[in-house]
Amino acid sequence: MNRELSVERHIEAPVTRVWETMMDRFEEWFCPRPWRAEARQVEWRPGGRSLVVMHGPNGEEMPNEGVILDYQPGRRFVFSDAFTGDWQPSGPFMVGLFEIVSEGSGTRFIATARHWTDESAEQHRTMGFDDGWGAMADQLKTLAEGGTL
């Protein structure tokens, strides 16, 4: 089984604008509506702590703690829930990669979730990966192209 799930979007905006949107408006695009993301702490550097809480429309809270594994401004960031911010083992469920590359007059956005096991990949798929991460990618596209959510 393929343990990698991915969504891609072509965004009609230059890489610099897409990256700025990814960083400056992270909470607006990172979680599919009607849920919302709250970046309680994100240290944008390799080894930095990441704590993003997703809030549901009925008061649900889903904390997602991990670490930033790779951070290349203007290109990509990579995170994992395999560790907490002080390198304590946790989970693991996945490694998330969010990458952008220049493509024609715009930018290609690629969001990938890599899983340790077939079971966790299938669990993520069943949880609604395609719809959820697809909505997230659409939200980023809308914002980077100058639209509103």
Side-chain angles (χ1 to χ4, degrees), residues 59-81:
E60 306 94 330
E61 280 195 6
M62 293 181 57
N64 296 279
E65 185 169 3
V67 294
I68 304 296
L69 300 175
D70 187 24
Y71 179 76
Q72 298 176 32
R75 183 165 176 262
R76 75 181 194 163
F77 64 86
V78 181
F79 64 93
S80 179
D81 60 355

Side-chain angles (χ1 to χ4, degrees), residues 101 120 144:
V101 293
S120 62

Side-chain angles (χ1 to χ4, degrees), residues 1-3 92-93 114-123:
M1 174 180 218
N2 182 2
R3 294 181 182 165
F93 183 64
R114 294 181 179 157
H115 302 84
W116 273 261
T117 66
D118 294 343
E119 294 77 19
S120 62
E122 185 56 32
Q123 177 188 0

Side-chain angles (χ1 to χ4, degrees), residues 7-66:
V7 298
E8 296 187 22
R9 295 293 184 273
H10 177 81
I11 301 173
E12 280 298 329
V15 166
T16 53
R17 185 179 320 145
V18 175
W19 183 257
E20 288 170 3
T21 304
M22 288 172 71
M23 294 293 101
D24 297 345
R25 301 181 77 178
F26 179 81
E27 291 180 331
E28 293 177 66
W29 67 267
F30 188 72
C31 189
R33 293 177 177 252
W35 287 68
R36 67 177 179 81
E38 175 191 4
R40 289 194 181 160
Q41 182 178 2
V42 181
E43 299 169 13
W44 293 113
R45 61 175 177 79
R49 181 174 187 234
S50 172
L51 176 56
V52 177
V53 178
M54 290 188 263
H55 298 276
N58 300 314
E60 306 94 330
E61 280 195 6
M62 293 181 57
N64 296 279
E65 185 169 3

Side-chain angles (χ1 to χ4, degrees), residues 81-103:
D81 60 355
F83 301 95
T84 60
D86 58 355
W87 296 107
Q88 293 297 316
S90 175
F93 183 64
M94 70 169 196
V95 173
L97 298 90
F98 291 82
E99 304 175 276
I100 56 174
V101 293
S102 182
E103 180 180 77

